[in-house]
Amino acid sequence: MQDKATLNPTPDQTFEIVGQGAYDFVRVLTHSKQLQRQGRVEEACNERFHAFQRISELLPEDEEVILEWEDPNTRAALEVIHASAIDHFLINDFEMSTAMLELLLELDPEDHLEAIILLAFNYLAMEEYELFDEVSNDISDKYACKEVLTMWAAFRRSGRIPEGDAIRFRTRFAPYFAEFTSDEHPADGQYLEDIESERPSVQAQARELWLRTENLWTLFPDFIAALRR
């Protein structure tokens, strides 16, 4: 099958990526997930990154482009960008992850994938506090990750977690506090079955947040130590 793609405008002033072969991003995304499940993580990451590069090359340099979320192939392309941004975040390549997420938000201003949350973690890791302040306002206070971000931001800036923030996290988000102060965070079969179910438990969601950000706490262990005190 020949590799080819076009960026087609829609009546809603968005664009769809119509492609085949290497530009069939539904297939690319599915295959990368299969590789991941087989433990071929590096291959999966490379596949997503190369797909991201192909998407970038499709985009005009001097024109605003909003991609059509409702189109399956275009949505898969957005999901590929997000997944590759996560890949880079997990290896502490915060600059590349940030560049991908900023592009993603330009292409999908409604932020269907909630890319802004990972972007906020990236900004804090890079000590980009003004940028963090801008995006953190758009993250709902209902999310436990917002509380983690708020505490970590204060800790990054001052070396301490405000007592009120710590108390609120411990009481309002108790399962998350328990997870973040635990010595063990197994991604075992029980957890995987729980998190992949239709209604995952709060405990599983707490572990998911830990596992998604564990690289940060390995890199910046003082924050977790302060949280445990």
Side-chain angles (χ1 to χ4, degrees):
M1 182 182 294
Q2 187 178 1
D3 297 336
K4 62 180 182 179
T6 55
L7 205 57
N8 290 356
T10 75
D12 297 324
Q13 297 184 315
T14 59
F15 289 84
E16 295 177 353
I17 298 175
V18 179
Q20 60 185 35
Y23 295 90
D24 179 348
F25 293 112
V26 173
R27 184 195 62 78
V28 169
L29 190 63
T30 300
H31 185 240
S32 73
K33 289 178 179 178
Q34 290 172 344
L35 290 172
Q36 191 100 17
R37 283 194 293 270
Q38 293 167 8
R40 298 159 66 183
V41 176
E42 185 175 352
E43 290 177 65
C45 292
N46 286 337
E47 178 147 350
R48 289 189 284 263
F49 181 62
H50 293 149
F52 162 74
Q53 291 177 313
R54 293 194 296 276
I55 295 165
S56 298
E57 290 167 0
L58 277 176
L59 303 172
E61 290 186 10
D62 302 319
E63 183 181 344
E64 181 183 284
V65 171
I66 297 175
L67 294 182
E68 178 52 58
W69 176 257
E70 297 303 326
D71 174 67
N73 194 55
T74 310
R75 180 169 62 249
L78 293 168
E79 290 174 340
V80 163
I81 297 173
H82 188 238
S84 193
I86 293 171
D87 293 338
H88 284 81
F89 172 79
L90 291 174
I91 59 170
N92 301 331
D93 189 347
F94 303 121
E95 290 187 5
M96 177 60 80
S97 179
T98 294
M100 290 177 164
L101 293 168
E102 289 175 343
L103 173 63
L104 182 58
L105 287 169
E106 290 176 13
L107 299 174
D108 178 32
E110 293 186 27
D111 195 15
H112 292 88
L113 296 168
E114 296 187 320
I116 201 167
I117 294 172
L118 186 59
L119 185 58
F121 278 110
N122 272 320
Y123 283 152
L124 278 184
M126 297 189 298
E127 298 181 289
E128 294 284 359
Y129 298 130
E130 289 185 11
L131 293 172
F132 168 77
D133 290 339
E134 288 178 18
V135 300
S136 66
N137 290 329
D138 293 327
I139 301 173
S140 172
D141 291 337
K142 295 178 181 178
Y143 291 172
C145 64
K146 176 65 174 288
E147 198 65 50
V148 173
L149 283 163
T150 300
M151 291 188 298
W152 192 39
F155 188 81
R156 290 283 277 161
R157 285 166 156 150
S158 68
R160 58 181 293 274
I161 300 173
E163 185 177 353
D165 290 350
I167 291 172
R168 185 165 57 249
F169 186 55
R170 188 164 59 244
T171 55
R172 188 178 174 191
F173 299 103
Y176 288 85
F177 177 80
E179 186 66 39
F180 272 66
T181 55
S182 174
D183 291 328
E184 296 183 353
H185 314 272
D188 53 18
Q190 182 179 351
Y191 158 73
L192 292 172
E193 183 178 349
D194 191 341
I195 200 65
E196 291 171 2
S197 66
E198 281 190 26
R199 294 186 177 180
S201 68
V202 178
Q203 287 77 13
Q205 292 175 58
R207 181 153 304 167
E208 181 182 47
L209 180 59
W210 169 272
L211 293 172
R212 285 184 172 182
T213 56
E214 187 172 15
N215 59 303
L216 291 177
W217 319 132
T218 301
L219 200 59
F220 306 105
D222 290 351
F223 170 66
I224 299 301
L227 195 59
R228 287 172 173 158
R229 287 200 287 270

